[in-house]
């Protein structure tokens, strides 16, 4: 899907989209996939993030900023078992203050916000999610506090959405520009490619 969407953007056949995978820590051939175009080219500022959960795949594309996307289907998630490992104490207390039926959706919103932020700043899940505090799911998305081991020197803006009827998703973008989501169903692109 990345090659198909980026190919449309770049005007290239999917097989010719120049992608590379280089670890930001060790330089090895793993880590976040990036577009491999020369600095100064017309598309040097294109960044993207991929997320999948269950049978859903999402792709966020952004110009001029780093981007992180997370989408979750939540199927089979044991919120009571996982939440203490993911949520800060204040977030966990707010989660448990909700009626039990509301907890899974609230937990997934916390999760998607946190993971999208960590993807946008390029650290992924190497940072304990409990140390990144985000706003309550009922409030506009925002980072409230950063883990002490992160030397964060930029702003992060977020937006929330729901994909389909049940999959919460969050997108985070570095910088001060507000995030505007433009959703596209890539089913037609995928069908045409097959």
């Amino acid at each position: 899907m990345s090659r198909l969407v980026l190919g449309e953007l770049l005007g290239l056949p999917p097989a010719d989209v120049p992608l590379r995978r280089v670890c930001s820590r060790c330089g090895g051939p793993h880590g976040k996939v990036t577009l491999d175009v020369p600095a100064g080219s017309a598309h040097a500022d294109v960044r993207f993030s991929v997320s999948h959960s269950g049978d859903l795949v999402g792709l966020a594309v952004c110009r001029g900023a780093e981007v992180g996307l997370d989408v979750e289907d939540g199927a089979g998630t044991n919120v009571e078992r996982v939440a203490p490992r993911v949520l800060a104490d204040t977030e966990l207390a707010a989660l448990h203050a909700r009626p039990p039926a509301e907890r899974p959706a609230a937990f997934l919103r916390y999760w998607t916000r946190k993971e999208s932020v960590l993807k946008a700043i390029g650290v992924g899940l190497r940072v304990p999610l409990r140390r990144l505090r985000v706003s309550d799911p009922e409030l506009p998305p925002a980072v409230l506090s950063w883990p002490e081991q992160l030397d964060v020197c930029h702003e992060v803006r977020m937006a929330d959405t729901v994909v389909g009827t049940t999959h919460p998703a969050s997108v985070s973008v570095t910088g001060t520009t507000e995030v505007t989501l433009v959703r596209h169903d890539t089913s037609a692109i995928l069908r045409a490619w097959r």
Side-chain angles (χ1 to χ4, degrees):
M1 186 173 69
S2 297
R3 286 185 183 278
L4 292 169
V5 172
L6 292 169
E8 275 198 0
L9 180 68
L10 301 173
L12 293 172
D16 293 344
V17 172
L19 298 179
R20 71 183 176 117
R21 183 182 291 252
V22 178
C23 177
S24 61
R25 288 190 306 175
C26 72
H30 52 271
K32 186 176 180 178
V33 178
T34 60
L35 190 58
D36 191 15
V37 295
S41 77
H43 302 292
D45 65 342
V46 174
R47 302 291 185 269
F48 67 98
S49 180
V50 178
S51 180
H52 62 88
S53 184
D55 62 356
L56 185 71
V57 178
L59 173 71
V61 180
C62 181
R63 283 192 176 273
E66 298 297 331
V67 61
L69 167 69
D70 188 49
V71 62
E72 297 293 333
D73 75 357
T77 301
N78 182 333
V79 172
E80 297 305 316
R81 189 177 60 107
V82 178
R85 292 187 237 153
V86 173
L87 303 181
D89 292 339
T90 55
E91 295 166 337
L92 192 58
L95 181 74
H96 285 127
R98 295 174 180 277
E102 294 178 14
R103 291 178 191 166
F107 171 75
L108 292 174
R109 179 57 68 203
Y110 277 123
W111 178 281
T112 61
R113 286 179 177 180
K114 290 180 179 217
E115 190 168 341
S116 73
V117 167
L118 296 177
K119 285 181 172 183
I121 63 171
V123 297
L125 294 177
R126 294 191 315 255
V127 173
L129 291 175
R130 283 184 49 81
R131 295 194 181 144
L132 172 65
R133 283 188 43 242
V134 296
S135 54
D136 186 84
E138 301 302 319
L139 298 175
V143 174
L144 301 180
S145 67
W146 294 97
E148 59 279 356
Q149 70 263 45
L150 286 181
D151 181 21
V152 178
C153 58
H154 49 257
E155 300 258 347
V156 173
R157 301 286 186 220
M158 287 189 276
D160 292 329
T161 189
V162 175
V163 180
T165 58
T166 59
H167 294 72
S170 296
V171 177
S172 294
V173 176
T174 60
T176 58
T177 303
E178 290 301 316
V179 177
T180 302
L181 296 179
V182 179
R183 292 176 50 179
H184 298 279
D185 183 345
T186 59
S187 300
I189 297 171
L190 291 169
R191 278 192 302 276
W193 177 70
R194 287 186 195 161

